[in-house]
Amino acid sequence: MEFLDAVFNRRTTNGPFRPDPVSPEHQQLLIRAATAAPSQFNSQPWRFVLVEDRETIGTIARISGESMTEVMGAGTFFDRYKKYFRFSQKEMDTLRSGMLFDRLPALLRPFTSRAFTPSGQKLMNRLRVPQTLGEENRKLVAGSPLLLGVMLERGEYRPEELSGFYSVFSMGAAMENLWLTTVELGMGIQFVSFPMEAPHQWARIVELLDVPEDLELMAVYRLGYVPESTHRPAIDWSSRERKHPSQFVFRETCATPQLGWDEDSRPGTT
């Protein structure tokens, strides 16, 4: 596969993986690719924990599902991220950013126009929509053959100092390397994000993974091989649109947008 093919075909896997375990060779290659990323003074602040134990994965899956139910039920998720939600192609075509929810479970469709109103939230809670979504999330994580925890060394990751930026930048570069490698290997990857929305739930994962005091758990991902063909999952979104270069690229100074590139820009993925 050509490098740019991997770049432009990178995506988040929102659906299930094949049950096959990720081979040791592929696990090693993913980590090798991650650690080829740049870091300030070659500090290599990243640390990784690979999880295949079914009981541990099941526990993290329950924590993830409970977290989704909790934040959806409280309405905090919608409050925090509503500016990124798109419910029509027309809206997405205009803004060219965020997530297009073009396929929602039948249970959720009546709420699209009232998703961010108090009355809509109360009705969703009454119909136990957060519980339904949380259970779907639990099953998705539980079916993953491999989880990956990404940590930063606290001696380098000091958010109040410039080294904090360097560490996060390096971690992002490492994860992008790993993410692109999944494309080459016929694998998929998705961020297990909901426990981070509920700090007490995230603390349970930190304890479960026995993260030492000198490391900060930054993220957990689920990985696996992608089925050759699959139906779109019940909870899915599309986000292939990217802003036009004239909306975010400038020439010489930030007062002059870059013109002439919009027609040649290629769609991205998430």
Side-chain angles (χ1 to χ4, degrees), residues 4 28 67 73 77 86 111 114 139 178 182 193 228 245:
L4 288 181
Q28 184 178 11
S67 301
F77 181 80
R86 317 285 181 249
F111 303 106
R114 294 192 290 162
K139 290 189 292 187
L178 187 151
T182 65
S193 60
E228 290 185 7

Side-chain angles (χ1 to χ4, degrees), residues 9 30 47 66-67 74 80 97 100 115 156 159-160 168 176 199 205 213 221-222 224 239 241-242 257 262:
N9 285 290
L30 290 169
R47 303 291 185 272
E66 291 170 8
S67 301
R80 187 173 299 170
S97 65
L100 174 61
E156 296 292 332
E160 71 281 0
V168 173
E176 181 71 0
I205 296 180
E213 287 294 325
Y221 297 85
R222 65 183 195 96
S239 58
E241 288 82 355
R242 289 296 186 269
D262 288 2

Side-chain angles (χ1 to χ4, degrees), residues 83-84 86 91-92 94-100 241-243:
K83 66 179 181 179
Y84 302 115
R86 317 285 181 249
E91 185 181 18
M92 177 60 88
T94 300
L95 299 173
R96 301 193 64 80
S97 65
M99 316 299 290
L100 174 61
E241 288 82 355
R242 289 296 186 269
K243 290 181 179 294

Side-chain angles (χ1 to χ4, degrees), residues 100-114:
L100 174 61
F101 290 84
D102 61 338
R103 181 180 184 273
L104 287 171
L107 188 64
L108 289 180
R109 290 170 196 160
F111 303 106
T112 55
S113 63
R114 294 192 290 162

Side-chain angles (χ1 to χ4, degrees), residues 4-26:
L4 288 181
D5 290 334
V7 170
F8 288 114
N9 285 290
R10 182 210 60 79
R11 64 187 60 213
T12 295
T13 302
N14 300 318
F17 298 123
R18 285 162 38 194
D20 315 57
V22 178
S23 73
E25 295 79 12
H26 285 175

Side-chain angles (χ1 to χ4, degrees), residues 30 33 42 81 105 110 123 144 151 161 167 183 185 189 212 248 266:
L30 290 169
N42 195 28
Y81 301 114
L123 186 54
S144 306
M151 298 161 286
E161 299 180 18
S167 295
V183 182
L185 300 179
I189 182 171
F248 64 90
R266 300 177 64 176

Side-chain angles (χ1 to χ4, degrees), residues 225-270:
Y225 297 109
V226 179
E228 290 185 7
S229 61
T230 183
H231 297 293
R232 287 183 68 183
I235 304 170
D236 194 18
W237 56 80
S238 172
S239 58
R240 296 185 63 84
E241 288 82 355
R242 289 296 186 269
K243 290 181 179 294
H244 294 300
S246 62
Q247 295 176 288
F248 64 90
V249 180
F250 305 93
R251 177 67 64 177
E252 307 303 345
T253 75
C254 293
T256 309
Q258 170 67 51
L259 302 178
W261 287 5
D262 288 2
E263 295 302 319
D264 296 328
S265 60
R266 300 177 64 176
T269 56
T270 189

